[in-house]
Amino acid sequence: MKISNKVIPYIIAISVFALASIIYFHPVLKGQKLHQSDITQFRGMVKDINDFRTEKNAEPYWTASSFSGMPAYQVSAYYPNDFVRLLDRSLRFLPRPADYTFLYFLSFFVLMLALKVDWRLAILGSLAFGFSTYLIIIFGAGHNAKAHAIAYMPLVVAGILWVFQKRYILGFLVTGVAMALEIYTNHPQMTYYLGFCLLILGIVELINAIKEKQIAVFIKQSIVILAAVVLGIGANSSRLMAMKEYADKSTRGKSELTINVDGSKKEATKGLDKAYITEYSYAKLETFNLFIPRFMGGGTIEKLGEDSNFYKTIEAAAGKKVAKDYASQVLTYWGDQTIIEAPAYIGAVIFFLFFLGIFLVKGRLKQWLVVATVFSILMSWGRNFEVLTNFFIDNFPLYNKFRAVSSIQVIAELCVPILGVLALKEFFSSSISSKEKQEALKKAVYVFGGLIVVGFLLAHGFATFEGIRDAQYSQLPGLTDAIIADRKSMLLVDSLRSIVLMLLSAGVLYMLLKDKLKQNITIIAFTVFVLFDLISVNKKYVNEDDFKSSRKIEKPFTASKADKIILQDKTHFRVGNFTVNPINDGSTSYFHNSIGGYHAAKLGRYQELFDFQIAKNNMQVLNMLNTKYFIIGNDKGEKQAQLNPDANGNAWFVENVKVVNSANEEMQALDSLNTKKEAVYQKEFLKQKQNLFPTEKDSTAVIKLVNNNLTSLVYQSKTTKKQFAVFSEIYYKDGWNAYVDGKLTPHYRVNYVLRGMVIPAGNHEIEFKFEPKVIQQGKFISLSSYALLILISLGWFFYDKKKRNEL
């Protein structure tokens, strides 16, 4: 079968992208997998969910193994009518993480096609985007969802650009599908930042429409885009509705507490604390990292060679072996962020082309790309540009829900290579004179080269090159001075590196201008420059050494002696592992139902319970959570299992329910509450109900758990009088329903996080079922959105076709 010449470039592009992805992550060909710290913890978090899926062939939407229980919506959840998941799986056919890099390349390639870029330049731009250092290093940390969301950003932009080009059907369909894929990735922060990028594009297009008196056309285009975005979002209705429901109750939601752990007063907040939001803020000077890789010493930890001052200083004091060991992990980073895996290096070559584009490309596309890039850099400064940052935190919806403001630089990661490729496109164009090209080339060299020099001089003129952890090097005389000298050397070497790459790039373009090189050779040269520039940096941070055998990755945790002892107990209980930070640990969840876990968006009330009570080792609170075992360390550092005989069990009757007026009082009541005999309840939930809590004591009353799984817990009770029971299960109103002998019965939140319920006299079966309505509600909306997206596209196509035939 003869292949059309029009198809060949696309086959070449897809082949190049697949090969580039596989070659960079070549250990996947041997069945190895990338070790990712976050994903390792994630595997601990989701084991009970995966086990439930295997055993029940159903979706639980709840996990019991982390934080004493929480919804699984933001942990791991598959939703009904989730056809976008099937599409995504089809596109990500390569082994992880090669699948994500392939998506980077493919998505950006489609964007280049929307910008009418030659397929050869489109491949070059795609490689520059996909191999950007930040987009690679996030794999090492396990930020797969972030990578996933970034990968679909160019596809969303492509669809919207097609709409603005009046290719309405294609633009509508691509925007809708791309937005559905973007939302599916489940990284709201990246999608939110994409919104800023698109908002700036929309403002630029609006200004142009006003100038050209095309407001009606702009309104039509906006309606088409909005409709496509709404349907793309609607396709993810179950996911989004569940996440919204949970977000309000998570650490991202509003806290009812107005006191701090120490008892001091605090203001109620609607989002995260400003200090927490801006913890990871780029310093203004650190921005030079974008095109000088180790401007601030590279990542938090770097490996230094035998020619380094650090190595020589230790060698002189302790010998070669000690020097080699210490020099393999040196704290070279001298910025003020807590930790960074690597610099967010976009590339000297592509940044040089970006500046060339500033002087050569005309029109509103350049305006959008430059404004969006500058905006993202200014916003990434966070606490180092408080006026701007605080304005957005205080005034822009949802901005206060996200931390690590430095990651807004993903907008620059997208925009810089776009303008860089457009610069080459214009440089190849015959519609621009050689004189204009030469002037633009000269200005780009002067400005970009000057910027590199200015950065170097600013660092030497105003910085001390001292790191926030340098105190640990003060024990050996001269070692701090040695590492400072190495930091200065790294800055010099990488500044010269960027200048050389700029001059090589400028030289190739100058030779093209003088007809000494052909376009194909120029494209090949720039492809080589870009790949060398980025991969040589990337390999320092993510390489074959980071891959492990598949077995070790799939089963990352080995049961300790303490774990094995606890696993012999087949009852339902929880474990407190205090050999680690419980609130930042997924390993315990791999084997047990843990009072801790590993997730940034845990239930807000549970985080507060931990801060106010568990962190203070309040045994009554640990008992009410049914913490039957503790894992502690002995003198040899070995883990030991310690039985807690005072754990309250799965359910118990209390003699008294203490009613308080506020969340503050409820939390403070737990300081001294005897949880076996009393429960505390917040008054505002009583409403008009009277005599809610029985007061007559029944010393013979019994309640016990007889059956449990993730979505159902069944208890048997035997009482002679009406009693009030407390269950050692986390209260979550929007999902858990309680039934007494099959009849739906109200239950209440007590002890700040647990469930409480009035149990009638007699013998009864009490069952809690997790039946989230939001899943069923979203199911219908998702299906309707898919149908509308397809039917509108088809209907529009046939309508246009009919109109053309009538002409």
Side-chain angles (χ1 to χ4, degrees):
M1 182 176 69
K2 187 176 180 180
I3 300 175
S4 169
N5 290 336
K6 291 182 179 180
V7 177
I8 291 176
Y10 306 121
I11 295 175
I12 293 173
I14 292 172
S15 301
V16 167
F17 299 154
L19 282 172
S21 302
I22 289 292
I23 290 172
Y24 187 90
F25 295 111
H26 61 85
V28 300
L29 296 174
K30 296 183 290 185
Q32 295 182 339
K33 294 189 176 183
L34 185 65
H35 172 70
Q36 301 171 291
S37 56
D38 276 11
I39 300 303
T40 298
Q41 299 292 336
F42 166 78
R43 290 185 187 281
M45 287 277 291
V46 301
K47 187 175 184 298
D48 68 335
I49 298 173
N50 289 334
D51 290 346
F52 185 93
R53 287 172 180 153
T54 302
E55 294 171 12
K56 308 289 186 181
N57 194 29
E59 194 65 21
Y61 300 113
W62 183 267
T63 173
S65 66
S66 301
F67 305 115
S68 299
M70 64 182 285
Y73 305 141
Q74 291 190 345
V75 179
S76 176
Y78 300 154
Y79 297 93
N81 296 335
D82 200 2
F83 303 116
V84 70
R85 179 171 174 264
L86 300 178
L87 175 59
D88 173 73
R89 288 293 181 95
S90 300
L91 293 172
R92 293 193 296 114
F93 59 90
L94 294 176
R96 188 171 297 176
D99 57 343
Y100 290 124
T101 51
F102 178 80
L103 267 190
Y104 288 156
F105 300 144
L106 182 64
S107 183
F108 197 86
F109 184 78
V110 175
L111 173 56
M112 291 292 96
L113 296 182
L115 291 169
K116 302 174 184 177
V117 172
D118 179 84
W119 66 272
R120 297 164 300 173
L121 285 179
I123 291 175
L124 168 61
S126 300
L127 294 173
F129 171 72
F131 278 130
S132 179
T133 300
Y134 182 75
L135 271 59
I136 297 297
I137 62 170
I138 55 180
F139 295 135
H143 297 164
N144 290 353
K146 179 183 287 187
H148 204 176
I150 293 171
Y152 284 124
M153 285 181 178
L155 195 62
V156 176
V157 176
I160 290 173
L161 287 176
W162 269 318
V163 173
F164 282 130
Q165 293 168 9
K166 300 180 181 179
R167 300 182 68 179
Y168 292 115
I169 301 175
L170 178 62
F172 173 78
L173 184 59
V174 172
T175 301
V177 172
M179 184 55 67
L181 289 165
E182 175 67 29
I183 298 297
Y184 165 76
T185 64
N186 193 24
H187 202 293
Q189 185 172 7
M190 293 299 104
T191 305
Y192 185 79
Y193 290 159
L194 172 62
F196 279 123
C197 186
L198 298 177
L199 179 62
I200 294 170
L201 172 61
I203 292 171
V204 171
E205 289 288 342
L206 174 60
I207 292 171
N208 179 73
I210 293 171
K211 288 180 179 178
E212 299 293 329
K213 297 182 179 179
Q214 295 288 317
I215 293 295
V217 174
F218 176 80
I219 292 174
K220 176 183 176 181
Q221 292 167 338
S222 299
I223 292 172
V224 171
I225 292 169
L226 184 62
V229 168
V230 167
L231 291 177
I233 293 172
N236 289 275
S237 291
S238 294
R239 177 176 295 103
L240 290 175
M241 291 169 68
M243 286 173 58
K244 173 61 174 67
E245 175 191 277
Y246 175 71
D248 292 339
K249 299 173 182 64
S250 75
T251 50
R252 281 4 187 204
K254 181 180 178 181
S255 172
E256 295 178 54
L257 291 178
T258 58
I259 53 173
N260 295 307
V261 174
D262 60 3
S264 60
K265 187 176 181 179
K266 74 168 184 177
E267 292 183 6
T269 60
K270 293 183 178 180
L272 301 174
D273 180 74
K274 286 184 180 180
Y276 185 69
I277 292 170
T278 60
E279 179 183 356
Y280 291 93
S281 298
Y282 242 55
K284 294 172 184 176
L285 200 60
E286 196 169 0
T287 304
F288 287 93
N289 269 348
L290 299 177
F291 47 85
I292 304 173
R294 294 182 299 170
F295 182 91
M296 276 196 164
T300 299
I301 296 174
E302 295 272 340
K303 181 178 180 179
L304 297 182
E306 295 182 6
D307 59 340
S308 67
N309 295 284
F310 184 88
Y311 182 95
K312 291 175 181 177
T313 302
I314 295 182
E315 182 185 26
K320 285 189 174 183
K321 187 178 185 304
V322 175
K324 186 176 181 180
D325 289 341
Y326 275 84
S328 64
Q329 288 189 320
V330 186
L331 298 167
T332 55
Y333 173 69
W334 50 277
D336 60 1
Q337 295 191 72
T338 308
I339 185 171
I340 63 167
E341 297 292 331
Y345 181 63
I346 295 177
V349 175
I350 204 68
F351 237 109
F352 166 69
L353 293 176
F354 173 80
F355 279 96
L356 178 64
I358 290 175
F359 298 113
L360 192 61
V361 177
K362 301 291 188 294
R364 57 187 186 273
L365 274 178
K366 180 184 76 174
Q367 296 166 4
W368 160 53
L369 295 168
V370 172
V371 171
T373 299
V374 172
F375 170 80
S376 71
I377 290 173
L378 295 179
M379 293 298 294
S380 74
W381 290 348
R383 64 173 179 266
N384 300 308
F385 195 3
E386 283 191 338
V387 173
L388 182 65
T389 301
N390 288 343
F391 174 79
F392 275 83
I393 290 174
D394 295 335
N395 296 286
F396 269 68
L398 301 180
Y399 194 80
N400 61 357
K401 305 293 184 183
F402 307 116
R403 68 181 302 223
V405 293
S406 59
S407 59
I408 199 172
Q409 284 184 354
V410 293
I411 296 176
E413 299 278 351
L414 175 63
C415 294
V416 169
I418 295 175
L419 186 54
V421 173
L422 291 178
L424 282 178
K425 177 187 175 185
E426 293 302 300
F427 207 89
F428 291 167
S429 173
S430 58
S431 62
I432 300 176
S433 68
S434 295
K435 182 179 179 181
E436 191 175 352
K437 293 175 184 176
Q438 188 166 330
E439 281 298 311
L441 183 59
K442 189 188 301 181
K443 289 177 181 177
V445 170
Y446 289 160
V447 173
F448 185 58
L451 202 57
I452 295 172
V453 173
V454 166
F456 181 84
L457 295 177
L458 284 173
H460 279 272
F462 297 96
T464 63
F465 290 88
E466 294 176 352
I468 58 177
R469 299 181 180 88
D470 283 359
Q472 63 184 279
Y473 292 133
S474 61
Q475 295 179 352
L476 182 62
L479 191 58
T480 301
D481 291 335
I483 196 171
I484 287 175
D486 286 328
R487 288 164 179 161
K488 291 179 178 179
S489 176
M490 294 165 79
L491 171 59
L492 175 62
V493 169
D494 281 13
S495 295
L496 291 174
R497 177 186 187 276
S498 293
I499 288 176
V500 169
L501 287 169
M502 176 198 70
L503 292 175
L504 285 172
S505 301
V508 167
L509 291 177
Y510 183 77
M511 292 176 70
L512 174 69
L513 208 55
K514 297 301 180 181
D515 294 325
K516 299 291 181 66
L517 288 178
K518 300 295 184 182
Q519 278 190 17
N520 283 338
I521 300 299
T522 301
I523 294 172
I524 292 171
F526 268 97
T527 303
V528 171
F529 292 162
V530 164
L531 291 177
F532 167 78
D533 183 15
L534 295 172
I535 292 178
S536 62
V537 173
N538 297 348
K539 281 291 185 179
K540 294 179 180 179
Y541 305 104
V542 179
N543 53 54
E544 53 270 19
D545 294 337
D546 298 308
F547 283 80
K548 308 293 179 185
S549 70
S550 178
R551 183 186 63 80
K552 289 183 178 179
I553 298 298
E554 293 294 337
K555 297 182 178 180
F557 305 110
T558 302
S560 66
K561 185 178 179 180
D563 290 321
K564 291 176 181 177
I565 291 172
I566 297 171
L567 287 170
Q568 293 176 13
D569 189 333
K570 301 304 180 182
T571 60
H572 183 58
F573 57 86
R574 295 195 179 89
V575 174
N577 186 355
F578 291 101
T579 64
V580 294
N581 178 2
I583 211 75
N584 198 32
D585 160 59
S587 64
T588 309
S589 301
Y590 191 80
F591 300 106
H592 317 290
N593 289 334
S594 173
I595 63 168
Y598 188 87
H599 202 277
K602 58 191 75 69
L603 282 167
R605 278 186 162 252
Y606 195 83
Q607 176 69 65
E608 291 164 350
L609 183 78
F610 187 90
D611 294 339
F612 280 77
Q613 304 297 343
I614 300 175
K616 295 178 181 179
N617 200 30
N618 185 329
M619 285 302 300
Q620 286 291 337
V621 168
L622 289 167
N623 290 340
M624 80 179 193
L625 293 173
N626 194 20
T627 314
K628 190 175 180 180
Y629 292 92
F630 298 113
I631 298 177
I632 57 175
N634 60 17
D635 295 338
K636 297 179 181 179
E638 299 170 333
K639 293 181 179 180
Q640 289 186 316
Q642 184 180 82
L643 176 67
N644 174 23
D646 295 323
N648 290 12
N650 304 118
W652 60 97
F653 293 117
V654 294
E655 299 173 9
N656 180 47
V657 178
K658 182 179 180 181
V659 179
V660 295
N661 295 312
S662 67
N664 290 351
E665 292 183 16
E666 188 177 6
M667 180 63 79
Q668 290 170 333
L670 291 174
D671 293 343
S672 57
L673 192 75
N674 183 341
T675 57
K676 288 183 175 65
K677 295 183 178 182
E678 286 186 299
V680 60
Y681 183 91
Q682 196 170 327
K683 187 176 181 179
E684 67 174 274
F685 297 102
L686 281 170
K687 298 181 180 178
Q688 76 280 3
K689 296 180 183 295
Q690 299 294 322
N691 301 319
L692 176 65
F693 307 115
T695 57
E696 292 187 81
K697 182 179 178 181
D698 179 2
S699 59
T700 64
V702 175
I703 184 169
K704 63 180 180 178
L705 179 71
V706 294
N707 188 32
N708 80 90
N709 59 46
L710 284 183
T711 59
S712 173
L713 297 105
V714 181
Y715 304 81
Q716 293 287 349
S717 70
K718 183 178 181 180
T719 67
T720 59
K721 300 172 184 176
K722 185 167 65 171
Q723 297 291 293
F724 190 84
V726 177
F727 301 85
S728 62
E729 301 296 331
I730 298 300
Y731 177 87
Y732 190 77
K733 180 181 68 174
D734 299 312
W736 282 104
N737 291 321
Y739 298 86
V740 176
D741 299 328
K743 182 180 178 182
L744 183 65
T745 305
H747 70 287
Y748 312 95
R749 188 184 68 220
V750 297
N751 294 7
Y752 209 74
V753 297
L754 297 184
R755 305 173 200 170
M757 188 176 180
V758 176
I759 306 297
N763 297 340
H764 299 284
E765 179 181 271
I766 302 101
E767 182 175 12
F768 283 98
K769 292 182 181 180
F770 193 60
E771 303 170 317
K773 292 181 180 179
V774 69
I775 303 299
Q776 295 303 317
Q777 293 168 348
K779 178 180 177 180
F780 173 76
I781 300 174
S782 294
L783 189 60
S784 301
S785 298
Y786 286 122
L788 285 172
L789 185 62
I790 295 170
L791 291 174
I792 290 173
S793 299
L794 288 174
W796 201 342
F797 171 77
F798 287 115
Y799 175 76
D800 278 2
K801 185 178 180 180
K802 182 179 178 182
K803 283 185 66 177
R804 287 194 300 270
N805 292 336
E806 290 175 351
L807 294 177

